[in-house]
Amino acid sequence: MAETWILFLAEPNQPGWEERKLPMGGLTDILDEQWDYTGSNLPQVGDRFRQFLKIESFADPEYPESSTHVREGDWVITRVEQYAASSNVTQRQIVLCYCKYEPVITELRPLGRAKPKVEQTTQG
């Protein structure tokens, strides 16, 4: 199975740098990270990564910290670098997506909740 760690990084001199902090307090240029196990549809130059938001009035009491809505974000990918594992045993790679801040107004869409797949059994 292919395993890809995708990091979205701010290009130098982008706004908000003083607010992007690591858990121990140091500054970082990491905007977001994602994992992909499909091996397809990797981010491309010009793509925007999605921004997940929580609107309190739509929060699910069963999952109070979960996001409720999604929109195309304000960060656009300017360049992409891919690094494959040197081992022939695994299909792992790291993809670095460098991004520039370009605010945009996009549609806010509600997130649906996944429904468990119910397998039908045949009786014979």
Side-chain angles (χ1 to χ4, degrees):
M1 175 190 318
E3 183 177 339
T4 304
W5 183 25
I6 305 169
L7 292 167
F8 295 90
L9 308 166
E11 289 277 11
N13 303 316
Q14 296 300 303
W17 62 268
E18 64 278 351
E19 297 170 14
R20 290 191 291 274
K21 294 183 180 178
L22 294 168
M24 297 301 288
L27 296 176
T28 182
D29 59 355
I30 298 172
L31 300 167
D32 194 20
E33 65 178 329
Q34 298 174 2
W35 286 92
D36 179 83
Y37 298 95
T38 65
S40 62
N41 297 327
L42 292 178
Q44 302 292 318
V45 171
D47 289 351
R48 292 177 179 269
F49 67 85
R50 294 183 293 170
Q51 180 181 14
F52 293 89
L53 305 164
K54 181 177 85 169
I55 299 175
E56 292 295 334
S57 59
F58 292 94
D60 183 341
E62 192 172 343
Y63 305 99
E65 299 304 315
S66 295
S67 299
T68 61
H69 289 74
V70 65
R71 74 175 195 91
E72 292 300 309
D74 292 328
W75 292 90
V76 63
I77 298 171
T78 56
R79 60 189 166 110
V80 177
E81 297 176 359
Q82 291 180 267
Y83 301 94
S86 59
S87 166
N88 293 334
V89 179
T90 64
Q91 294 181 13
R92 292 183 177 166
Q93 70 175 331
I94 296 173
V95 176
L96 303 179
C97 299
Y98 293 90
C99 303
K100 180 178 177 185
Y101 184 71
E102 291 184 5
V104 65
I105 297 174
T106 58
E107 178 184 0
L108 189 63
R109 298 182 310 263
L111 285 172
R113 292 284 170 230
K115 306 232 185 314
K117 183 177 179 180
V118 178
E119 293 188 26
Q120 296 180 349
T121 57
T122 57
Q123 295 179 355

